[in-house]
Amino acid sequence: MNITLRQLKVFEAVARHASYTRAAEELHLTQPAVSIQVKSLEEAVGLALFEQFGKQIYLTTAGEEILRYSRGIAAQIDEIGDVVARLKGVSRGSLYVAVATTANYFITHLLAAFHREFPEVSINLSVTNRQALLTQLAENRVDLVVMGEPPPDQGLAGTAFMDNPLVVVAPPDHPLGQRKRIPLKTIAKQPFVVREEGSGTRAAMTRFARRHQIAFTPAMVMTSNEAIKQAVGAGLGLGLVSAHTLELDLYAERLQILDVAHFPIMREWYVVNREGKRLSPAAEAFKQFLVDHADTVWPTATKAAGAVAGESD
């Protein structure tokens, strides 16, 4: 079979997006050019790789097999680049990082500080939810992921590098804002705007409630911290969010952190990679940079939480 790397790259992008148009946008190609590459690959293979139902395209069985091999080939090519970069030293190379949506509030500051130290390293950043991060790790599409504590049974290696305090927030005029060391039973009577099931924040909230034998009252479910903050500011309930997300809201006095007994819930941010993955020099350098410098570059959250915190769990 006369298959080219370009065909495989275009095919992988179409399969990942389930869209010729979005693949073309990512690759900076026209949609006809993308279609031609996929058609040429199908002719080389001798089988259809996609099938269409309505406006949606799906991988055929042959397409799923070709996708698996194309990602394996791409990983090997990346490894060649890593070996060459290692020979050249950490000053060059590419870094592929994916982060949880909450981490987006601080990761750009850390990447900027890293870039000042290693200006010739090319940085690629993806921001998505926890499940998508685990998928990207499983498919070896990124070097490193920044997230809450990784699951223990998926072949992942995680290193904690920074505290992630979860705090209770309220509108600036909320009556509980005047109280100190608010009892948990009082907080539990308040309606809460919460993250969706499966998010790290929701899981931490559930564990905390179980440990202290209380039950929070979910009034509304949101899929992002930004949506929770907007809802809390509008008076729809209290919220539980990472203090890392609050710098601008506290400065603008759109929200306040409540002084609640046993808060903040202290979690940690982890930098995660697949066990056994040979990291590139750039990825190794960024991982070490997070461990050594994250608290110095981004101390805001710890200070904000500490301003009202009692003893943490």
Side-chain angles (χ1 to χ4, degrees), residues 58-280:
Y58 300 89
L59 285 168
T60 63
T61 301
E64 291 176 351
E65 288 296 318
I66 296 299
L67 178 61
R68 181 167 63 87
Y69 279 104
S70 66
R71 285 177 173 166
I73 292 169
Q76 288 184 316
I77 292 173
D78 286 343
E79 191 169 310
I80 292 172
D82 293 343
V83 170
V84 173
R86 187 172 285 107
L87 293 173
K88 293 179 178 178
V90 74
S91 62
R92 297 177 181 272
S94 296
L95 174 64
Y96 293 86
V97 181
V99 304
T101 51
T102 304
N104 192 39
Y105 287 89
F106 63 83
I107 195 64
T108 49
H109 295 270
L110 297 177
L111 285 170
F114 177 78
H115 182 66
R116 286 192 292 271
E117 187 169 341
F118 301 102
E120 294 190 39
V121 172
S122 173
I123 299 172
N124 302 271
L125 175 65
S126 169
V127 182
T128 187
N129 60 39
R130 181 178 175 89
Q131 187 54 53
L133 293 176
L134 296 175
T135 298
Q136 290 189 47
L137 283 168
E139 295 178 351
N140 199 31
R141 286 158 49 190
V142 292
D143 298 314
L144 299 169
V145 156
V146 173
M147 63 189 301
E149 185 172 2
D153 56 349
Q154 297 193 23
L156 303 175
T159 303
F161 68 90
M162 187 167 65
D163 288 338
N164 178 22
L166 300 181
V167 296
V168 179
V169 292
D173 58 350
H174 198 283
L176 289 179
Q178 305 301 316
R179 297 182 56 177
K180 301 294 183 184
R181 302 293 293 163
I182 305 166
L184 287 178
K185 290 184 178 180
T186 300
I187 287 294
K189 295 176 183 178
Q190 299 288 320
F192 267 79
V193 184
V194 300
R195 284 293 300 269
E196 77 281 7
E197 293 284 355
S199 74
T201 300
R202 182 68 177 268
M205 187 178 190
T206 301
R207 289 194 300 268
F208 179 86
R210 187 183 301 121
R211 185 161 61 248
H212 290 278
Q213 298 182 333
I214 60 171
F216 290 105
T217 305
M220 188 174 296
V221 177
M222 298 286 186
T223 58
S224 74
N225 288 289
E226 201 59 39
I228 286 180
K229 292 190 296 179
Q230 293 288 339
V232 171
L236 294 173
L238 303 182
L240 181 68
V241 297
S242 168
H244 285 290
T245 71
L246 294 173
E247 181 182 24
L248 294 179
D249 301 280
L250 297 176
Y251 179 79
E253 298 184 347
R254 291 190 293 261
L255 295 173
Q256 62 174 321
I257 299 176
L258 296 184
D259 184 358
V260 181
H262 304 291
F263 274 85
I265 301 174
M266 293 306 297
R267 302 172 69 214
E268 290 181 299
W269 286 111
Y270 286 78
V271 55
V272 182
N273 57 270
R274 292 176 59 176
E275 284 185 347
K277 179 179 176 63
R278 185 166 62 180
L279 294 177
S280 68

Side-chain angles (χ1 to χ4, degrees), residues 296-311:
T296 303
V297 174
W298 188 254
T300 307
T302 303
K303 290 180 180 179
V308 296
E311 294 183 7

